[in-house]
Amino acid sequence: MSKSDVVVIGNGLAGLVSALVSADQGKKVTLLSYGAGTFPLNSGLIDVLGYDDAGKTVKNPIEAIASVADGHPYKKIGVDTVKEALDYFKDIVKSEGMPYVGSADQQQWVVTGVGTMKPTCLVPESMQGNKCFNAGEVVLVGIKYLKDYYVEMVKENLAEILGKDKKYSVVEVDTKLQGGRDLTTRDVAVWMDTEAGYNDFVAQLKAQAGSGKVFVVPQVLGTKTNVVYSKIVKDLGCDVVETTCMPPSINGLRLRDVLLSALKKRGIRVIENAKAEDAEFSANRAVSIKAGGETRLQTYEADKFILATGGFYSGGITMRDFGEGKEGVFGCDVVTDCEEATWANKQLFSDKKQGFALAGVKTYDDLRAIRAGGIIENLYVVGRNLTGYDFCFEHSGNGVALASAFKAAKA
Amino acid sequence: MELEERARDTGDNCIACTSCVAVCPITKANRNYIGPKLVGPAHNRMHFSDEADYEESLKLCSNCKNCDITCPNGVSVATLNMLERAKYYKQHPEAHTQVDQMLSHGFDMADMLNKLPLGKTLANLGMGIGKAFGVLDMMGLAGKRDMPAYADTYFRDLFPTIKQPKSDKKVLFFPGCYIDTNDPEVGVAFVEVMNANGYEVIMDSRFVCCGSPLVVGGYLDEARSHADINVAVINEYAGKGIPVVACCTSCSLMLKAEYTELFAQSEMQQAGKNVYDSFEFLAILAEKGQLKQAKSSDKTKMIYHAPCHLRAQGLGLPALDILTAAGIDIVNADAGCCGMSGSYGFRKENYETSMKVGENLFNTIKESGASKVVCDCGTCREQIKHGATKNVCHPMQILAQAYKG
């Protein structure tokens, strides 16, 4: 296998962005993928920092990340790099026809699939929950037989948050889709990709449309970019807002598609279904890694490696016994100083972080990995491989993924 | 010997993340399929309740393995589906139709026709007439398709007539049914390419069909006997230091990995290590600096379709890399599954689903402006011929041509 300048291991958001930024630096990049990353479970929103350590909502994400605790990835990445990374992301998705709105210093609000609102930093045009604030009437769109979406509950919750001075109404769309299984958001999104489905959907909402109104719809506005969104706001003549949804996340998959398209344009080589198993070193540098299928591994040489294999969910970090976390490719040092008693917080929705969530690879401030107490000079660690943050608690997952990838690729 | 780590137990690794459902081409095309997560890992774990319990839509799985490619946790989703399907037919042997029997045992028909005078010619004629009069449809076959025509001379009969330079470096060719009986030119191209690289190609008549169509048809016991025969041959040659090479990516996947996944035997795992996909083998030569460099003067614009069963092997797209290095003007279609999946798309009841799955690939090919499609899989090529363009070939044929200058 011909040598690459950069080998990226992992194809979640951190992996794909690492590959893109590296290629934009003029590097020859190979990306090894094993599984679809977190995208089918990922909102595709760029949360930078939603809540502080006390669980209070952050109003200005970029200001708040300046004061995160020591050891937090943002401390290592730095405020300026986070800003640059957000700009880079906005450029990429815009050039791929799926523009995001928002800025580093102001929180955006998104309607969730249960009708609550959550803070985030960058949102695709179709999910701007902020548009609900100024609307006089919120029209909640339910879809007959749609799984995991209870429009009356969404209405009740949203009315509580947005206030009783607005009008709330419900309209139910019938897709008339036949077939033996439950209707998922993806089924409806696929239907909306078709001209017939789209026209039927619009026809069923048209009577409710009007100025000062906003439609809140489950995540069904097509499977690709924002084409359906752009069309439907024109055809209805008022705002439309998509909620987040249960897996598979349509917006996560849309984002994956546009990033993969950007990868392709840059000629980045993607090796699918290749699990990275082992690395070779020369002194304190990684020389190559071995990756492949069940039968045989290939050797991938590079000057620089970026590790983006994820945390416990993705198998990037594993642990058999408490306190003995492992990173399986390079054997990096892993922080898992949580003990059995502090490992998990049983109050899932309380104001405490999860012990296990803080596990990750030890790195220097420039994100270079630590192994056996020493540096690996050409290995950078990004995304959920990093230690020191509970992305779920603080709503920072894609923010850390994006910014760490940007920093590592630029280094 | 039974392996300790068995693919059939990987259902327990499923975290129900739904990634497989999100990428499954059949789930997208056909609303009757409840999806890989539910029929494979989930159902597999419920089975202790009732052996005869069966999910009806399981028969819609095409075993294309996009679920395996997308799974973050190493669940052998498609294999779990196939094991579930086999369990069903064990309980309900009467459920096997004539068309199941025929499509899973194409090798029997091909052998028989080869023994009859004018057998293949008459069969080809018969299939054409059958198509025209709707007989294929009545039999349960996709009547809108051409059935793949039998070659005048099978590769097994052609091979002894090919003059090769003798060499100490040998590879054992596993032609697979499609190349052997329908597309022997690919085998000829393979011999030319291997000869150009200093290898002598040998054949062994003990090889039988890899068993892929038997597995998807639910004839798992027969597939096991095919596996045992092939594995014994492969291991015998492993002892002599002779690797086994296949040009068909479904055959190579079956011999390398699927036997072990399905039957969990150590000798299968051992055999797999002695099997290579043809361009994987050439890529390894290239890595060692031993591949003869080709310089093509062909200016044809080409597009490459990567078979799912190659993508599942986790080794990248070696044919695309090697043809690009040879100076061929070729791009990656990167347009997902073609929808054929071996015998799947030849079934009447799957025809519509199969064509819907392939739509993106057909459009990508048509819009590319390429005048030739290159693909390592025989039934993918059949699908592309039916849905996009007749000008389709195996990458080995392009490389053989490039060597000739």
Side-chain angles (χ1 to χ4, degrees):
Chain A
M1 200 63 64
S2 56
K3 190 176 163 184
S4 313
D5 296 324
V6 182
V7 163
V8 178
I9 311 152
N11 72 332
L13 183 67
L16 296 188
V17 172
S18 297
L20 286 174
V21 178
S22 300
D24 285 345
Q25 308 289 304
K27 306 290 186 200
K28 184 179 162 197
V29 184
T30 298
L31 179 104
L32 301 173
S33 86
Y34 186 72
T38 53
F39 288 104
L41 297 172
N42 188 317
S43 65
L45 303 165
I46 307 299
D47 293 354
V48 170
L49 192 66
Y51 300 95
D52 64 17
D53 277 353
K56 272 183 63 185
T57 307
V58 165
K59 289 210 171 68
N60 180 336
I62 204 77
E63 197 179 274
I65 65 171
S67 51
V68 291
D70 284 342
H72 193 291
Y74 281 141
K75 233 356 176 280
K76 298 175 179 171
I77 296 163
V79 172
D80 291 341
T81 308
V82 174
K83 272 193 206 162
E84 273 182 71
L86 292 171
D87 288 341
Y88 178 84
F89 177 83
K90 282 176 80 173
D91 286 346
I92 287 278
V93 288
K94 191 177 171 196
S95 69
E96 291 292 329
M98 188 174 156
Y100 273 54
V101 296
S103 63
D105 54 6
Q106 204 186 354
Q107 215 67 274
Q108 301 291 313
W109 289 90
V110 174
V111 182
T112 70
V114 291
T116 59
M117 294 196 85
K118 70 156 243 166
T120 188
C121 190
L122 302 182
V123 292
E125 288 182 327
S126 65
M127 293 177 75
Q128 300 171 74
N130 290 26
K131 293 193 165 174
C132 295
F133 297 140
N134 302 322
E137 181 177 346
V138 181
V139 184
L140 296 124
V141 180
I143 291 169
K144 203 173 176 182
Y145 305 126
L146 179 63
K147 198 181 160 199
D148 298 329
Y149 193 81
Y150 305 97
V151 67
E152 289 295 339
M153 176 174 72
V154 175
K155 180 182 147 187
E156 271 175 41
N157 286 337
L158 211 50
E160 202 155 299
I161 292 165
L162 295 173
K164 305 284 180 205
D165 52 328
K166 293 184 199 303
K167 256 189 88 184
Y168 298 89
S169 56
V170 168
V171 53
E172 190 177 60
V173 170
D174 185 356
T175 62
K176 301 166 208 85
L177 284 171
Q178 303 284 316
R181 64 164 190 250
D182 294 335
L183 204 59
T184 64
T185 42
R186 184 162 177 271
D187 292 324
V188 184
V190 169
W191 176 69
M192 289 285 278
D193 284 340
T194 67
E195 205 183 325
Y198 175 83
N199 289 339
D200 195 0
F201 188 84
V202 170
Q204 292 185 58
L205 296 186
K206 195 79 187 172
Q208 306 288 323
S211 69
K213 291 188 181 185
V214 59
F215 284 97
V216 172
V217 301
Q219 215 170 80
V220 298
L221 300 181
T223 59
K224 301 279 176 205
T225 66
N226 68 346
V227 280
V228 171
Y229 168 77
S230 304
K231 193 161 153 48
I232 202 165
V233 287
K234 280 194 205 109
D235 289 346
L236 288 174
C238 60
D239 281 331
V240 180
V241 174
E242 279 186 310
T243 69
T244 60
C245 72
M246 294 295 282
S249 163
I250 307 306
N251 193 61
L253 294 166
R254 285 177 196 144
L255 178 58
R256 178 172 190 246
D257 281 350
V258 301
L259 293 176
L260 287 176
S261 159
L263 247 70
K264 199 175 168 184
K265 289 191 182 110
R266 287 158 179 78
I268 294 169
R269 206 157 68 124
V270 181
I271 313 291
E272 286 183 298
N273 213 24
K275 192 173 190 187
E277 304 269 11
D278 202 5
E280 272 185 56
F281 299 90
S282 168
N284 50 5
R285 287 182 72 81
V287 177
S288 64
I289 61 157
K290 290 192 188 306
E294 291 294 318
T295 317
R296 190 170 293 123
L297 301 175
Q298 273 79 37
T299 303
Y300 295 89
E301 289 179 64
D303 290 331
K304 176 177 174 181
F305 295 86
I306 298 180
L307 181 70
T309 51
F312 287 119
Y313 295 120
S314 311
I317 306 288
T318 57
M319 190 175 83
R320 273 243 161 259
D321 297 301
F322 284 106
E324 291 182 21
K326 285 195 171 56
E327 178 281 304
V329 186
F330 297 92
C332 297
D333 294 353
V334 170
V335 181
T336 41
D337 43 19
C338 45
E339 293 169 11
E340 193 166 355
T342 55
W343 162 250
N345 166 16
K346 285 176 189 160
Q347 301 301 317
L348 199 56
F349 298 105
S350 74
D351 58 355
K352 299 260 178 333
K353 295 181 183 179
Q354 293 288 349
F356 68 83
L358 304 171
V361 173
K362 283 186 200 169
T363 67
Y364 291 97
D365 280 355
D366 59 5
L367 303 182
R368 283 192 286 179
I370 297 176
R371 179 177 182 262
I375 192 167
I376 307 180
E377 278 178 358
N378 58 342
L379 172 62
Y380 293 80
V381 182
V382 298
R384 190 48 206 95
N385 276 121
L386 291 165
T387 179
Y389 72 119
D390 181 340
F391 77 89
C392 199
F393 177 86
E394 62 187 34
H395 287 215
S396 62
N398 284 347
V400 170
L402 171 62
S404 58
F406 187 81
K407 183 179 174 95
K410 287 261 186 175
Chain B
M1 211 175 73
E2 177 96 3
L3 290 164
E4 226 168 84
E5 260 185 53
R6 306 183 309 173
R8 74 184 70 158
D9 301 326
T10 57
D12 287 342
N13 298 350
C14 173
I15 58 165
C17 73
T18 313
S19 295
C20 56
V21 181
V23 301
C24 170
I26 306 296
T27 310
K28 190 174 179 192
N30 187 333
R31 290 229 344 106
N32 288 316
Y33 185 42
I34 65 167
K37 177 182 85 175
L38 296 153
V39 299
H43 204 258
N44 164 271
R45 281 181 288 182
M46 301 298 174
H47 236 304
F48 54 82
S49 54
D50 181 1
E51 273 291 308
D53 192 15
Y54 179 68
E55 161 53 41
E56 181 66 18
S57 77
L58 174 54
K59 61 172 187 258
L60 290 171
C61 169
S62 73
N63 196 33
C64 72
K65 299 203 180 279
N66 280 286
C67 42
D68 294 26
I69 296 170
T70 204
C71 177
N73 278 322
V75 181
S76 304
V77 187
T79 291
L80 290 174
N81 288 356
M82 292 305 112
L83 291 169
E84 286 296 299
R85 186 181 284 175
K87 238 184 230 172
Y88 170 73
Y89 282 111
K90 200 125 207 176
Q91 299 279 340
H92 304 278
E94 75 287 351
H96 265 137
T97 61
Q98 203 187 346
V99 79
D100 294 333
Q101 177 69 26
M102 194 166 58
L103 287 174
S104 292
H105 299 80
F107 46 87
D108 279 342
M109 176 66 89
D111 283 350
M112 192 189 76
L113 292 173
N114 204 30
K115 287 175 190 137
L116 298 172
L118 290 178
K120 291 165 287 191
T121 315
L122 293 174
N124 289 342
L125 199 64
M127 288 190 295
I129 296 169
K131 185 190 175 198
F133 284 90
V135 180
L136 297 183
D137 242 358
M138 276 182 334
M139 290 165 70
L141 290 164
K144 292 196 177 79
R145 290 187 193 283
D146 290 320
M147 295 301 284
Y150 295 103
D152 295 338
T153 310
Y154 288 174
F155 187 71
R156 65 183 90 159
D157 300 322
L158 205 56
F159 179 74
T161 68
I162 303 173
K163 288 205 169 29
Q164 297 187 67
K166 291 275 165 228
S167 171
D168 292 337
K169 292 194 289 184
K170 291 182 176 42
V171 291
L172 178 63
F173 183 42
F174 185 92
C177 302
Y178 187 83
I179 290 172
D180 182 23
T181 65
N182 302 97
D183 205 359
E185 290 81 4
V186 177
V188 175
F190 174 70
V191 175
E192 287 171 1
V193 167
M194 292 317 292
N195 289 169
N197 282 289
Y199 281 84
E200 183 183 342
V201 177
I202 53 176
M203 295 271 284
D204 192 307
S205 60
R206 289 173 296 172
F207 271 143
V208 290
C209 166
C210 72
S212 184
L214 291 166
V215 171
V216 295
Y219 298 91
L220 200 64
D221 291 343
E222 278 183 73
R224 173 66 194 264
S225 67
H226 281 229
D228 289 340
I229 293 167
N230 289 334
V231 162
V233 176
I234 294 165
N235 283 335
E236 186 186 307
Y237 282 85
K240 298 186 219 167
I242 297 175
V244 177
V245 182
C247 287
C248 164
T249 44
S250 291
C251 295
S252 61
L253 180 67
M254 186 52 94
L255 303 178
K256 277 171 68 178
E258 276 187 284
Y259 285 162
T260 309
E261 283 188 21
L262 290 159
F263 307 115
Q265 301 298 311
S266 56
E267 56 273 25
M268 294 174 180
Q269 199 173 42
Q270 189 197 335
K273 295 187 194 307
N274 194 39
V275 180
Y276 297 79
D277 184 71
S278 56
F279 272 90
E280 175 188 23
F281 191 85
L282 297 177
I284 292 171
L285 289 185
E287 201 180 339
K288 294 183 197 153
Q290 293 168 2
L291 183 73
K292 181 182 170 184
Q293 180 62 41
K295 272 216 173 70
S296 174
S297 53
D298 193 343
K299 296 280 172 267
T300 313
K301 200 168 174 307
M302 303 185 198
I303 185 166
Y304 177 73
H305 167 63
C308 302
H309 285 180
L310 171 70
R311 290 169 46 221
Q313 293 186 30
L315 49 86
L317 308 176
L320 184 65
D321 293 343
I322 287 172
L323 293 187
T324 304
I328 303 279
D329 179 8
I330 187 165
V331 293
N332 183 12
D334 190 20
C337 181
C338 77
M340 187 60 125
S341 292
S343 57
Y344 186 84
F346 283 112
R347 286 161 199 274
K348 184 182 171 184
E349 72 269 23
N350 293 338
Y351 177 75
E352 208 184 309
T353 304
S354 162
M355 292 303 283
K356 220 166 158 183
V357 171
E359 211 174 79
N360 187 33
L361 175 63
F362 305 151
N363 291 338
T364 306
I365 290 169
K366 286 172 192 165
E367 288 159 13
S368 70
S371 48
K372 188 172 246 167
V373 185
V374 181
C375 173
D376 324 52
C377 165
T379 55
C380 292
R381 294 198 295 275
E382 287 292 331
Q383 174 82 330
I384 293 164
K385 275 185 219 164
H386 182 61
T389 168
K390 299 275 179 220
N391 202 353
V392 194
C393 70
H394 190 287
M396 201 58 76
Q397 292 167 287
I398 305 288
L399 186 60
Q401 197 56 46
Y403 277 155
K404 288 173 194 159

